[in-house]
Amino acid sequence: MSLARTEEFIREVEQYSARNYNPLPVVIKKGEGVWVFDIEGNRYLDMLSAYSAVNQGHRHPKIIQALISQAEKITLTSRAFHNETMGPFLKKLCEIAGYEKALPMNTGAEAVETAIKTARKWGQLKKGVPENQGEIIVCENNFHGRTVTIISFSSEEQYRFGFGPFTPGFVTVPFGDAAALEAAIGPNTVAVLAEPIQGEGGVLVPPDGYLARMRELTRKHNVLMMLDEIQTGLGRTGKLFAYEHEGAKPDVLILGKALGGGVYPVSAVLASGEVLGVFAPGDHGSTFGGNPLGAAVGIAALEVLLEEDLPGRANELGRYFTAGLEDINSPYVREIRGKGLLIGVEIKKEYGSARPFCERLMAEGLLCKETHEQTIRFAPPLVITKEDIDWALERIRKVLGA
Ligand SMILES: *Cc1c(COP(=O)(O)O)cnc(C)c1O
């Protein structure tokens, strides 16, 4: 097998692209379901799902059909005019998630920014926090995106280095520590913003009861609970939303990634009419947010999730996959953790970083990405079958077995 084309392609990318990523040396040409194919003709099982944006599988026929049908009618109107697709999309999203209103954006970071603006304005108008004094409590080791405001409250030095000055108004507490959270709440606290499971942070699952306690505390102190379910939401952890594991429905729910079915960037902020009611025309916007193409794709993406019971699959197959990984009894592994089909396998420090393991898994036909140096994330599309998992486990055993 000649790798000449792959090397040529990578050289070209390295010449013309800013080097803000360090991808594995594979050039993907086609995808279908859980499988992707490179330009050399190799097939791989996708264990990353574009960071959980492809929960419905690559090029799901129903989602692709929705894209094509809508593209033949109208793709973009801007919010200066109405389009006939946005309303049905937001209605479906609100009904499924159990919220009164949704504000559509495109990327995850934009939705997080929108949630931050929502909380600040809510704090000022509804809670009576003085102008420009609202504080938002965030968690150590968080990942909420890459804008300047969002990295302002990152605890990851590399995400911040060189990018200041930063946005003030954030207070950081340890993730999973409800007592620290309560201690940090003050008169000017408008919201708590957290991930139910920290995906980029290394698939970190907080102690049982943490989200339920967060729900109690935020209610007691009149603070908005805002959950970033961009990665954990829409079936990934074995429930439609990860907060359901503890019945801790947030005031503000932030969605993205799989909301666009792996096809188109679609994100949204959901909340009550009172909370999202703080926005008046002209306060906030997005040229592409709520566009007909994204809305049509979003409807199909939600329908596929429900029709194929992808949360149920993630629950059942997540247990099966995790049990199989535990069975390998790998001498290299310090811990296996996660929920549903969001699984982190942490490599012991004495065996180096997770990256070489990902490279060896790639040679076996599995595309995985390390997260936070030591952890391999296994997060396949939720349409994966038991047979696919058996196929994967056989190969993982080769790499991680004794
Ligand atoms: C990916 C991600 C984001 C950012 O989404 P983008 O679409 O890359 O801007 C925010 N929060 C979480 C939890 C994510 O996983």
Side-chain angles (χ1 to χ4, degrees):
M1 184 189 70
S2 144
L3 286 172
R5 288 183 61 215
T6 294
E7 280 162 15
E8 195 182 316
F9 186 93
I10 291 172
R11 255 199 311 278
E12 180 180 75
V13 165
E14 286 181 350
Q15 182 175 346
Y16 291 106
S17 165
R19 292 218 53 197
N20 57 330
Y21 278 91
N22 180 24
L24 287 167
V26 57
V27 181
I28 296 166
K29 179 185 182 144
K30 196 177 150 102
E32 189 166 352
V34 298
W35 301 99
V36 296
F37 303 85
D38 73 8
I39 58 174
E40 311 286 344
N42 300 304
R43 183 180 83 148
Y44 304 88
L45 207 166
D46 182 356
M47 279 289 177
L48 182 65
S49 310
Y51 304 93
S52 294
V54 194
N55 287 0
Q56 298 89 341
H58 290 280
R59 293 191 308 116
H60 192 289
K62 180 168 176 157
I63 302 173
I64 295 297
Q65 195 48 56
L67 179 86
I68 292 170
S69 305
Q70 186 59 47
E72 284 170 343
K73 289 190 263 178
I74 180 115
T75 56
L76 184 62
T77 56
S78 87
R79 296 287 304 277
F81 314 113
H82 290 282
N83 72 72
E84 67 170 354
T85 321
M86 188 182 99
F89 168 54
L90 297 184
K91 177 170 191 268
K92 184 175 269 303
L93 179 59
C94 286
E95 283 175 0
I96 289 171
Y99 288 88
E100 289 170 351
K101 283 187 187 292
L103 197 164
M105 298 295 284
N106 311 284
T107 65
E110 285 175 305
V112 172
E113 289 271 350
T114 301
I116 290 167
K117 287 169 84 171
T118 304
R120 286 179 164 187
K121 194 154 187 195
W122 173 86
Q124 195 177 314
L125 296 187
K126 309 278 180 176
K127 185 169 173 168
V129 172
E131 196 176 351
N132 299 329
Q133 298 299 310
E135 278 177 5
I136 295 175
I137 299 173
V138 297
C139 295
E140 233 168 71
N141 213 27
N142 68 71
F143 183 84
H144 295 287
R146 300 291 200 161
T147 65
V148 170
T149 287
I150 293 171
I151 62 162
S152 295
F153 56 87
S154 173
S155 52
E156 196 64 32
E157 188 44 37
Q158 196 199 348
Y159 295 173
R160 293 162 52 90
F161 178 78
F163 299 129
F166 299 109
T167 307
F170 300 94
V171 175
T172 304
V173 297
F175 181 59
D177 183 343
L181 173 63
E182 183 164 31
I185 296 175
N188 292 341
T189 306
V190 295
V192 175
L193 170 65
E195 301 151 89
I197 294 173
Q198 291 186 328
E200 297 317 297
V203 191
L204 302 179
V205 184
D208 283 346
Y210 176 61
L211 293 180
R213 188 77 185 119
M214 181 185 290
R215 182 60 284 182
E216 283 170 17
L217 292 173
T218 46
R219 194 167 277 140
K220 177 173 147 196
H221 293 284
N222 191 26
V223 164
L224 294 179
M225 173 170 167
M226 309 204 291
L227 287 183
D228 177 347
E229 292 237 27
I230 291 168
Q231 186 160 157
T232 56
L234 303 175
R236 174 56 55 190
T237 71
K239 300 267 189 197
L240 188 56
F241 303 112
Y243 75 74
E244 291 173 52
H245 291 287
E246 299 197 354
K249 188 181 171 198
D251 302 297
V252 176
L253 179 67
I254 308 167
L255 299 177
K257 293 201 166 121
L259 191 54
V263 166
Y264 197 88
V266 182
S267 66
V269 174
L270 293 96
S272 67
E274 193 207 332
V275 169
L276 278 179
V278 300
F279 287 108
D283 283 358
H284 185 57
S286 162
T287 303
F288 282 82
N291 75 74
L293 203 56
V297 163
I299 291 171
L302 290 169
E303 284 175 355
V304 167
L305 276 167
L306 298 185
E307 284 165 10
E308 302 187 13
D309 185 24
L310 296 186
R313 291 187 70 86
N315 180 43
E316 190 189 321
L317 294 172
R319 285 172 204 276
Y320 182 74
F321 194 3
T322 303
L325 288 168
E326 279 163 357
D327 245 22
I328 293 175
N329 224 336
S330 169
Y332 308 113
V333 170
R334 194 179 93 80
E335 190 180 43
I336 299 172
R337 53 180 182 253
K339 272 208 171 92
L341 282 170
L342 179 58
I343 305 167
V345 172
E346 186 179 330
I347 301 294
K348 290 177 185 161
K349 280 232 165 73
E350 66 248 48
Y351 292 107
S353 81
R355 174 79 178 202
F357 290 91
C358 291
E359 285 166 4
R360 285 166 59 202
L361 287 165
M362 187 183 114
E364 296 291 334
L366 290 167
L367 289 188
C368 313
K369 185 76 170 76
E370 75 279 10
T371 168
H372 248 236
E373 283 298 305
Q374 292 313 121
T375 304
I376 310 171
R377 172 171 29 198
F378 292 106
L382 309 183
V383 294
I384 196 167
T385 63
K386 219 168 173 180
E387 292 69 40
D388 297 331
I389 291 175
D390 289 337
W391 184 94
L393 282 169
E394 223 176 280
R395 280 146 187 90
I396 296 167
R397 184 181 290 276
K398 275 204 212 167
V399 173
L400 290 182

